[in-house]
């Protein structure tokens, strides 16, 4: 590795010797070479305690992460609720992750401390303090952005003709660093990190909370110095020189806030390789984390690190070829050999001791794709990327520290045989109405959706919220576990120890925040799908909301949802008597408000008609004893002076459906429109639309209505006719094709025509096919013209 500064110059800033009381071991997070030399440093230095860059309020979780039953990737998940507005006036909730892979030096430090039977401690500020003392909101606790984004490294990449920082790091650190002694590697890390720090303004360090974090870590180190003769400090390399400078004089402690566990806490959770990938937005991550994790595992079990990357290159090329063959892309052994030879040749040409991931990529492009890289030919490259990234999800072995909701989630995954150890999406098909276990699984998926865990998505099935697919008897769900799944469950830890309890608590909170029937009815639909019954207190509150809500349309939507749930109770195996109570309250309130809906605005007329029809249907099925009450309310509405025409027509249709004697009144109303001025006559079309929507048989059984309609159209001029034409078309859309044919024949007879509409000449299929060809040619010409332009 090329030397940029002399060893003496670096030693003046950061002294290093195995005899020192304090040794700073600089790392890049998730770096295999840093973990490799850290293990050697433990053996050479024999520390009495190891300090690690990490939030000190998570120290009790170190044994959980190093437990033999814990499988990486894993992470510490932190949350902070800024109720006292220390961070901002918005009083928001904040959270972040501190991921650990096998290649993570911080994890290696914890494992080695356990092997050496010495204490390991986090010494950094808690997440809440970083937020309070900085002007940014990190999503991940550890941050390598200073190393990756500095102008110094950008210039180095330009000087060495490397494409990006990751390629530079792999060549000069990950691969070449294995050929250095641990002393040399530490000093080289000092040098590069010191140069990056000199390139960063002090003001930026203060604003980002870096300065206060280093002061706190330095204080913890000084605090321990009287008790330990050998202290190993493992931090991001950027902090090494800052901590060394601070130890030259006494450090004042940072004043910490006291928060309860409900305000600030941390938990160990499962993590994924994909979430730890720098290419997916993890600022402190390395590209292709699974590739480097495999490097780290091989280094830990090998006495000869010099050929590790060569072996890994051959392994990943072979795996890529096998996976490509499964996708019908044949790759021969000679292709693998060619790709491997090319990777080695490129490494030698680039003056690298061994081929890394970037040489492997170039080898696949040349030997596997064999030509121009296109969307169809680049599949081997996508396979390599997927393999190098990894799709596994970790597992926390010590169940005593797993949040109860995550434990309940994992219990159900095991019960339903759901694969929750990979981020590769899986599909499952359910028959909830035929199989009790499938019904329970469906409820589990709905609970996970309600808690916004990003765990699952229903691809096919009944959507009760949108009233779609109610006839579907099967459900298809797609699911996969991701870090958001675990973090969302942690966020709901205070809501209950089981998924059902948490969902009930969240539903209750939503209900108590709402004051509209429509909103709480939607929550009732969620509870229905989740198989959850609300508490008596929540039921009483919902009844109060229904009693206080005076919005006709909100109550109408609420009645729609409650009526739907009432109908589906037996199908979903739900016994909830409160649904009937809600229906009765909505029905009573709507009956009382109905007479005032005559003068509703035109844009709300259609919704008003739907609610009137709903009241009629519900009264017939559920409340037959209250049909007279509904009839009276409709009658009162029809007698109002100001009436929206389509609502008036719908009301007259419902009155006719309740009592056939209202036929004459419906005719008289239509005649009154005919006898009015042109503007009144135009309203007759809207009246017909509402009438036919609720009682279309009038047009079929009573010829007077046909005559009245004919008179209406005959007396109109062209402009007025064109204005009402859309409403007329909509009015007749409620009839079946056969009924329309009957009406058309009757209308023709009024004018002395005897057209037989049932006997029509069929369409020439050849002419239709020619039309399709003509359309296709027109579209082709248009596309060519657009491309040319």
């Amino acid at each position: 590795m090329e030397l940029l500064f002399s060893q003496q110059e670096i030693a003046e800033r950061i002294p290093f010797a195995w005899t020192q009381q304090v040794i700073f071991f600089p790392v890049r997070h998730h770096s295999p070479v840093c973990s490799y030399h850290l293990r050697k440093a433990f053996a050479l230095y024999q520390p009495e305690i190891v300090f690690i860059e990490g939030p000190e309020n998570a120290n009790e979780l170190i044994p959980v992460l190093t437990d033999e039953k814990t499988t990486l990737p894993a992470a510490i998940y932190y949350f902070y609720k800024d109720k006292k507005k220390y961070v901002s006036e918005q009083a928001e909730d904040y959270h972040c992750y501190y991921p650990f892979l096998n290649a993570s030096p911080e994890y290696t430090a914890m494992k080695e401390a356990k092997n050496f039977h010495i204490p390991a401690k986090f010494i950094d500020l808690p997440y809440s303090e970083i937020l309070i003392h900085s002007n940014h909101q990190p999503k991940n606790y550890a941050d390598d952005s200073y190393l990756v984004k500095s102008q110094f490294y950008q210039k180095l990449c330009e000087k060495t003709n490397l494409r990006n920082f990751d390629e530079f790091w792999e060549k000069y650190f990950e691969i070449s660093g294995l050929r250095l002694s641990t002393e040399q590697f530490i000093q080289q890390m000092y040098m590069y990190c010191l140069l990056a720090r000199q390139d960063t303004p002090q003001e930026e360090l203060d604003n980002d909370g870096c300065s206060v974090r280093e002061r706190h870590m330095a204080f913890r180190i000084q605090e321990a110095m009287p008790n330990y003769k050998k202290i190993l400090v493992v931090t991001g390399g950027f902090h090494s020189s800052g901590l060394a400078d601070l130890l030259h004089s006494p450090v004042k402690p940072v004043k910490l806030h006291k928060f309860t566990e409900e305000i600030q806490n941390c938990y160990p959770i499962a993590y994924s390789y994909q979430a730890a990938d720098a290419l997916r937005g993890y600022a402190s991550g390395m590209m292709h984390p699974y590739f480097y994790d495999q490097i780290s595992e091989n280094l830990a079990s090998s006495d000869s690190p010099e050929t590790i990357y060569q072996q890994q290159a051959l392994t990943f090329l072979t795996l890529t070829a096998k996976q490509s063959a499964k996708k019908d892309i044949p790759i021969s052994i000679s292709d693998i050999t060619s790709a491997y030879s090319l990777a080695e040749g490129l490494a030698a040409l680039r003056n690298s001791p061994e081929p890394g991931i970037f040489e492997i990529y170039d080898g696949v492009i040349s030997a596997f794709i064999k030509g121009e890289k296109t969307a169809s030919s680049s599949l081997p490259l996508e396979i390599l990327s997927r393999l190098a990234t990894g799709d596994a999800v970790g597992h926390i072995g010590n169940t005593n520290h797993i949040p109860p909701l995550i434990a309940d989630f994992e219990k159900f995954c095991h019960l339903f045989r759901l694969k929750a150890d990979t981020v590769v999406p899986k599909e499952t098909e359910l028959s909830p109405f035929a199989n009790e276990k499938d019904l329970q699984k469906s409820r589990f998926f709905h609970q996970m959706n309600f808690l916004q865990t990003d765990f699952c998505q229903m691809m096919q099935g009944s959507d009760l919220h949108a009233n779609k697919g109610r006839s579907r008897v099967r459900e298809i769900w797609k699911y996969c576990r991701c870090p958001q799944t675990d973090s969302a469950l942690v966020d709901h830890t205070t809501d209950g120890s089981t998924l059902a309890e948490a969902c009930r608590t969240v539903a209750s909170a939503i209900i108590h925040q709402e004051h509209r029937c429509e909103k709480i009815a939607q929550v009732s639909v969620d509870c229905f799908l989740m198989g959850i019954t609300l508490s008596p207190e929540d039921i009483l509150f919902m009844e109060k909301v229904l009693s206080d809500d005076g919005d006709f349309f909100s109550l109408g939507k609420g009645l729609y949802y409650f009526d739907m749930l009432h109908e589906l109770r037996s199908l979903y195996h739900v016994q909830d008597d409160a649904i009937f109570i809600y229906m009765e309250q909505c029905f009573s309130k709507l009956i009382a408000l109905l007479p005032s809906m005559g003068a509703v605005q035109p844009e709300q007329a259609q919704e008003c008609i739907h609610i009137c029809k709903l009241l009629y249907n519900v009264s017939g099925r559920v409340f037959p004893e209250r049909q007279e009450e509904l009839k009276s309310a409709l009658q009162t509405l029809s007698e109002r002076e100001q009436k929206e025409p389509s609502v008036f027509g719908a009301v007259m249709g419902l009155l006719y459906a309740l009592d056939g004697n209202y036929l004459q009144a419906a005719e008289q109303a239509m005649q009154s429109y005919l006898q009015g001025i042109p503007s009144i006559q135009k309203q007759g079309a809207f009246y017909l639309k509402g009438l036919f929507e609720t009682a279309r048989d009038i047009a079929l059984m009573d010829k007077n209505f046909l005559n009245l309609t004919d008179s209406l159209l005959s007396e109109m001029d062209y402009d007025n006719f064109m204005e009402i034409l859309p409403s007329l078309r909509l009015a007749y859309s409620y009839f079946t094709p056969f009924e329309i044919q009957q009406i058309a024949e009757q209308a023709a007879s009024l004018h002395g025509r005897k057209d037989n509409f049932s006997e029509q000449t069929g369409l020439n299929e050849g002419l239709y096919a020619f039309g399709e060809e003509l359309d296709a040619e027109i579209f082709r010409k248009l596309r060519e013209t657009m491309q040319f332009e």
Side-chain angles (χ1 to χ4, degrees), residues 692-763:
F692 291 164
E693 185 170 356
T694 56
R696 72 173 190 270
D697 58 323
I698 286 182
L700 300 171
M701 298 176 60
D702 188 356
K703 293 186 179 181
N704 287 337
F705 264 97
L706 189 63
N707 294 330
L708 292 171
T709 305
D710 184 69
S711 299
L712 173 68
L713 301 179
S714 300
E715 295 176 8
M716 277 189 178
D717 58 28
Y718 179 79
D719 291 337
N720 287 335
F721 173 76
M722 294 304 296
E723 187 176 342
I724 68 166
L725 184 58
S727 297
L728 279 174
R729 284 180 171 172
L730 189 58
Y732 282 94
S733 67
Y734 301 113
F735 295 94
T736 65
F738 177 73
E739 291 170 343
I740 290 175
Q741 179 180 310
Q742 286 183 304
I743 294 171
E745 291 175 353
Q746 292 176 13
S749 66
L750 290 176
H751 297 273
R753 299 284 299 272
K754 295 186 179 293
D755 297 340
N756 189 348
F757 292 91
S758 61
E759 295 180 2
Q760 297 182 5
T761 304
L763 181 66

Side-chain angles (χ1 to χ4, degrees), residues 292-307:
Y292 290 113
D293 235 26
Q294 291 297 295
I295 291 287
S296 185
E297 288 191 23
N298 292 335
L299 285 171
S301 59
S302 175
D303 295 329
S304 177
E306 285 78 10
T307 61

Side-chain angles (χ1 to χ4, degrees), residues 163-179:
R163 288 165 283 192
N164 52 50
F165 170 77
D166 290 284
E167 188 174 6
F168 167 82
W169 176 269
E170 183 183 64
K171 175 183 176 181
Y172 287 104
F173 283 90
E174 295 299 338
I175 298 176
S176 298
L178 295 175
R179 286 151 178 81

Side-chain angles (χ1 to χ4, degrees), residues 13 27 74 273 320 481 512 541 559 579 584 596 650 733 755:
R13 285 293 305 273
V27 303
Y273 282 114
T320 302
R481 186 174 185 174
H512 284 267
F541 186 84
L559 179 61
I579 294 175
E584 193 169 33
S596 64
S733 67
D755 297 340

Side-chain angles (χ1 to χ4, degrees), residues 207-264:
N207 291 337
D208 282 354
C210 182
S211 298
V212 71
R213 290 176 63 188
E214 289 178 352
R215 181 157 63 92
H216 182 74
M217 287 190 282
F219 174 77
R220 291 301 186 211
I221 295 169
Q222 281 189 345
E223 191 179 43
M225 289 176 71
N227 303 318
Y228 298 97
K229 296 179 180 180
K230 289 187 175 182
I231 302 173
L232 182 61
V233 181
V234 180
T235 67
F238 189 84
H239 299 300
S240 297
S241 61
L243 293 173
D245 291 341
L246 287 170
L247 290 186
H248 292 156
S249 58
V251 180
K252 294 181 179 180
V254 177
K255 185 178 179 181
L256 304 179
H257 298 79
K258 293 183 179 180
F259 298 115
T260 62
E261 292 185 355
E262 288 74 22
I263 299 296
Q264 171 185 266

